[in-house]
Every structure is written in C-alpha cells, then in structure tokens.
Amino acid sequence: MANQSEVIDRLRATFRSGMTIPEQFRMNQLQKLLSLVEENEQLIIDALHKDLHKPKFESVLSEIQITLNDLYFAIENLRTWMQPEYNIGKNLATRMDECFIRREPLGVVLIIGAWNYPLHLILLPLVAAIAAGNCVILKPSEICQATEQLLAELIPKYLSQDCYAVLCGGAEETKSLLKNRFDHIFYTGSQAVARSILLAAAPHLTPVTLELGGKSPCFIYGRIDIQKAARRLCWSKFFNTGQSCVAPDYVLCTVETRDALLPAIQETLLSFYGSDPGEGPDMGRIVTLRHWRRLVDMLRKSKGKVVIGGDSREEDKYIAPTVLVDVPEADSLMQEEIFGPILPILTIESLEEGIDYINRQEKPLALYVFSDESSVVSTVLNNTSSGGFCGNDGIVHMALPGLPFGGVGASGMGSYHGRWGFETFSHRRSCMNRSWLLEMVNVLRYPPYSEYNLGCPLPMSFASV
Ligand code: NAD
C-alpha cells in the first residue's frame, strides 16, 4: 500500500470539488454498484466458495441478496433522505425564522471489513457512504483473499475511481493507512483490534463506528414447539459454519427443555446436513487453519460434555456441528465469542437466573428468546440490553433495512443498514436563517439586561408555538 496517501489525496481533491454532492451522481453510482453485484453473481459465489467453502445458497442469501436489498432500498429512498428537514419545533422568538437540518457528507471515509461476510461487510457500508455523498476508501479483509481480489478488480471497473478506491493488505497495511486523516472510520471486526482503531482515530479526532461481536445468548424457555425451535436455532447457529457475528453463541434453558431439545437438534441436523455433514454440500468450512485450531483447542480443553458432533478434520478445516452440555462458566467456550459451529447449552432454574447471567456479561450484539409465551419474551426484552433483539428466530432481524444494525457497549457503537447507514455517514447540520422581523421581541435579549425581560419569550426559552 505504498500509494496510500496518494489515493487519499486524490479522493480528497474530488470531495472538495463537490462531485459527490448531487443526487444524480449518487444515484448513478448506486445503480452502477447494483450492476456490479448483478452482473458478477457467479464470480462472487466462486470467490466465497474458495474462501469459506460457502454453499451457493448461503452466498446468495447472506452476501448477494442482502446487498441488493439495501441497494434497492437506498435507490428508492435517496431523494427523501437527502431532503432538508423543516419540521422543527420553534418558539415565539424564532417563529419567523427558517430552521432546518441538512444532511451533509462527511468527506473521505474509511471502511474496514471483516472476513466472515467479506462481500456484504464492505458493500453495505459502501451503499450508505455513497448515498450520503462521501468519497470512500475500502479495506476488505485480507483473510478472504479471493473476495478481496474480486472487490479490488470490480470496484474500479464499475465505480468512479476519483471517488472510491480499494486498498488491500493486512494488519500492517491497515495500521499504516490509519495514520492518515479520515472524516469517519467504519470498522467491522474484533473487539481487540477495535481498541487500536480508536487509538488511531484519537489524534485526528475522527469519529468511529465499531461493528463488533460478542456472545449472543439464546433463551429457549417456557411453552414451546421444540421441533420448530430446534430448526430455527440450528439454522441460525450453523449458517456460515457458525461464523456469524449474530449467531446464537450459547443456549439458556431448563433441564427439562434441554432434554427435549437435544433429540430435536439431532433430528434437525440429520435432516439439514445428512448423517455426515462433512460430506454434504451445505456445511461450510472454518476460514483458516489458525481459526480452526483456536476452535478445536477450545473444544479439546472444555470441561463440558460433547453430546452431538465433536468431529474435526484439519486437512479441510472442517468442524462438525457440535453441541455441549454441562459447560462451566470458567470454560473458554463461555469466556470467548465462539464464532464457529460449537453450541454450549447452559441450564438455568428460572428466567431470572438466565437474565442475571446475561447482565453479568458484556452487552451482546444480539439476544434471542424462543418461547410461545409472550410474557417470557417481554420479560427478557425489558430486563436486558443488546445491540439487536429477535424473538423466536435467530439472525433474520439483521436483514431488514428498516431496522438499525449495530452493537451496544462492548458489541459496538453506531449502526447502519438502510437509512441508519445514510445517517452514520452524514453530518446533521442544524441551520437557522433568522428573519429581520419581530425585532420588538428580539430586543428583549440585549443589554442593559433586566429581570423583567427574563420572563419574556427569548430565543433560548422553551415555549414553542
Ligand atoms: P479480521 O481478522 O478480518 O479483521 C477485521 C479487519 O481488521 C481486517 O480488515 C483486518 O485487516 C483488520 N486488522 C486486523 N488486525 C489489525 C490491526 N492490528 N490493526 C488494524 N487493522 C487490523 O476479522 P476479525 O477481527 O477476526 O473479525 C471477527 C470479529 O468481527 C468477530 O468478533 C465478529 O463477531 C465480528 N464481526 C462483527 C460484525 C458486525 O457487523 N457487528 C460482523 C462481522 C464480524
């Protein structure tokens, strides 16, 4: 990345020229991004298969369709989002003034992606940054090399090279990139690296969005159709081989529910992946040997009892869908985000015990409650905090562009998807054009000050009209 600062300078000059501001320009680039995804679907599927052994179905659903969805949504709503907002409460002293909020682009922004959804974690923030009128540097994850290379090849082919650039590289190149001044940094990845992103942003006072992970709990509690629950749980846990930031990390349930759930999970896995998931086409692989070893090591050292799966194969980085019970709290499976196809089931005696357990941990990115009893769902919702929440399913809440996606506390800061991404990459500039009228009211604020005038409608007083 020898030419990092040259690229940034080029983009900054473009931004200063105002090229990215007009609606027509933003719309045109969004349309081109749409063509990029639509015309290269097979290349994308092939790259994801090479990197993660992703089944075509999962690539289409969670990389291609989710990106297209967000693009359609942005294209449909761009004009509305860009309109200045005039619906501002005024008081008597400001009633003749023009008060509005303009959404303005931030400038040259940096988007750093993670490897687990290497396409959508780059393209979804890009949709938002283009819609908001920014110039963008994209830094895809180096771990998924085929997708990284494909992005580096396609983005300059479809989008304006004066406004958008892909810079490839790993930790060292990213650290060097971060020495430059950006107007916003949008980072997706681990909590450990997020700390160094914040440190790098501090000297420039650059605002940062952090899309991180954590241990997302899944309650299965009270009256429930256990077969349905097992299917939704297994799909959301083992999708992308468990390498989803919003995958249910562990289950909390009573002993009775656990005893009913285990055979239901076994039956579900058989129907999803056949008797040997490693032989079928629908189970992906762990991204690298380093990540595979971390997971196998956690499994090997765990004091919990493997009751389903447990097999692994180094040669193709395979780990079978695995379920454990009796996992102690101190186990590394319960201390670290798992981020793989391993599911501990913890037993609790009451809902309150489960809620207490969750509230003792860092705030998770997602929280799931499966129950037929709405009081169970609302009790958990009302007594916990998490980035997102989904009752009776896993993962799917993140696919709706109307819902903001992001963490809270240690699972991240800021959000995106749909309008929320547009807001993240915009500055809300508050504007007031004062009228020369109503001077009789306005003079009340001038010296010599009087106690009497403090009771009058001054510009800072609350009363609205
Ligand atoms: P990763 O290794 O791909 O790293 C993410 C990015 O950080 C990469 O582009 C990488 O080049 C860069 N990077 C790595 N080390 C760096 C350093 N020292 N300095 C600067 N940049 C550096 O991905 P990861 O960190 O292993 O990602 C997995 C984590 O991301 C999990 O915790 C997961 O939950 C989280 N995640 C969150 C979301 C979300 O949307 N909230 C989505 C996906 C993943």
Side-chain angles (χ1 to χ4, degrees):
M1 285 212 262
N3 62 349
Q4 287 177 345
S5 48
E6 266 171 54
V7 176
I8 298 167
D9 288 348
R10 187 178 80 228
L11 267 55
R12 196 162 289 291
T14 309
F15 183 73
R16 290 206 179 113
S17 77
M19 182 170 160
T20 57
I21 306 291
E23 181 194 332
Q24 195 46 47
F25 177 83
R26 305 185 199 191
M27 185 60 88
N28 178 271
Q29 296 298 306
L30 291 173
Q31 298 281 7
K32 286 187 171 159
L33 189 52
L34 193 66
S35 307
L36 181 156
V37 179
E38 285 176 345
E39 289 167 16
N40 296 284
E41 182 165 324
Q42 193 53 50
L43 289 179
I44 294 169
I45 291 168
D46 292 346
L48 291 165
H49 193 265
K50 212 164 168 189
D51 286 331
L52 286 148
H53 201 91
K54 268 199 205 209
K56 176 184 169 190
F57 190 93
E58 292 192 1
S59 290
V60 171
L61 199 67
S62 65
E63 301 269 19
I64 295 171
Q65 276 182 4
I66 195 169
T67 307
L68 290 176
N69 245 0
D70 217 54
L71 268 163
Y72 295 139
F73 197 73
I75 288 169
E76 202 177 304
N77 291 289
L78 182 66
R79 176 161 297 175
T80 314
W81 294 346
M82 286 179 68
Q83 295 309 308
E85 195 178 323
Y86 284 96
N87 186 18
I88 314 292
K90 299 185 209 172
N91 59 12
L92 185 61
T94 51
R95 67 184 299 185
M96 303 304 286
D97 303 338
E98 186 191 26
C99 302
F100 56 98
I101 303 168
R102 270 162 64 99
R103 263 75 179 175
E104 297 188 348
L106 300 172
V108 179
V109 302
L110 171 64
I111 294 173
I112 304 174
W115 55 263
N116 59 329
Y117 291 95
L119 187 94
H120 106 227
L121 294 176
I122 285 291
L123 295 191
L124 252 66
L126 177 61
V127 171
I130 294 176
N134 297 278
C135 287
V136 190
I137 303 271
L138 298 162
K139 215 305 289 173
S141 177
E142 74 285 7
I143 290 179
C144 285
Q145 258 181 32
T147 312
E148 178 198 38
Q149 287 312 313
L150 187 64
L151 285 166
E153 188 188 309
L154 295 178
I155 298 269
K157 225 160 119 182
Y158 282 81
L159 302 187
S160 160
Q161 295 189 33
D162 291 326
C163 305
Y164 316 106
V166 180
L167 293 177
C168 297
E172 288 318 308
E173 289 82 355
T174 315
K175 280 187 215 163
S176 137
L177 186 57
L178 284 164
K179 290 188 182 130
N180 295 279
R181 173 188 288 276
F182 292 96
D183 298 296
H184 194 92
I185 299 172
F186 187 102
Y187 172 78
T188 303
S190 65
Q191 295 172 353
V193 173
R195 291 188 178 91
S196 54
I197 302 284
L198 283 177
L199 285 172
H204 302 297
L205 296 176
T206 302
V208 174
T209 300
L210 298 177
E211 295 286 340
L212 312 177
K215 294 182 77 64
S216 297
C218 180
F219 273 98
I220 302 187
Y221 203 87
R223 215 174 45 246
I224 189 146
D225 178 332
I226 207 76
Q227 289 295 347
K228 260 193 222 166
R231 279 200 294 274
R232 293 186 184 194
L233 170 69
C234 287
W235 180 79
S236 47
K237 173 68 189 183
F238 300 114
F239 191 89
N240 207 30
T241 326
Q243 302 168 114
S244 302
C245 54
V246 282
D249 190 90
Y250 59 95
V251 169
L252 288 164
C253 61
T254 60
V255 172
E256 296 75 33
T257 302
R258 181 195 69 185
D259 292 346
L261 184 62
L262 286 173
I265 291 180
Q266 193 116 43
E267 198 178 307
T268 301
L269 292 177
L270 189 67
S271 72
F272 280 8
Y273 306 112
S275 53
D276 183 356
E279 291 304 313
D282 295 331
M283 194 70 198
R285 293 296 185 266
I286 303 306
V287 67
T288 67
L289 264 185
R290 174 168 63 88
H291 294 82
W292 180 87
R293 285 197 188 108
R294 184 188 72 92
L295 287 163
V296 170
D297 211 43
M298 278 208 287
L299 206 49
R300 206 175 287 140
K301 286 187 185 147
S302 172
K303 302 261 185 312
K305 193 166 123 205
V306 173
V307 285
I308 295 174
D311 314 329
S312 57
R313 262 193 326 249
E314 184 165 349
E315 58 272 27
D316 63 347
K317 296 170 280 162
Y318 169 70
I319 298 179
T322 297
V323 181
L324 292 98
V325 296
D326 303 333
V327 183
E329 208 173 321
D331 210 289
S332 63
L333 281 175
M334 290 314 298
Q335 294 299 314
E336 288 174 40
E337 178 183 8
I338 296 175
F339 221 53
I342 302 170
L343 180 69
I345 299 182
L346 268 61
T347 54
I348 46 175
E349 285 183 11
S350 67
L351 201 55
E352 290 65 35
E353 186 190 335
I355 290 170
D356 279 353
Y357 178 79
I358 287 168
N359 290 337
R360 286 202 307 273
Q361 320 299 319
E362 296 286 11
K363 292 178 182 175
L365 184 58
L367 201 155
Y368 304 112
V369 188
F370 291 19
S371 182
D372 259 359
E373 297 172 45
S374 58
S375 63
V376 169
V377 178
S378 59
T379 301
V380 177
L381 180 58
N382 292 337
N383 291 286
T384 56
S385 172
S386 61
F389 177 91
C390 185
N392 297 330
D393 212 335
I395 294 190
V396 291
H397 64 293
M398 67 161 293
L400 202 61
L403 291 174
F405 179 71
V408 58
S411 57
M413 58 176 86
S415 60
Y416 71 129
H417 291 193
R419 173 156 201 160
W420 310 98
F422 176 85
E423 293 288 341
T424 287
F425 287 107
S426 299
H427 168 58
R428 286 180 289 280
R429 191 174 185 183
S430 42
C431 306
M432 181 187 269
N433 280 327
R434 297 230 63 202
S435 155
W436 291 106
L437 300 175
L438 287 186
E439 192 61 2
M440 293 284 280
V441 177
N442 275 291
V443 294
L444 297 172
R445 71 191 146 124
Y446 300 144
Y449 299 130
S450 81
E451 280 292 319
Y452 173 80
N453 286 357
L454 274 180
C456 297
L458 299 171
M460 281 75 176
S461 64
F462 266 133
S464 57
V465 284

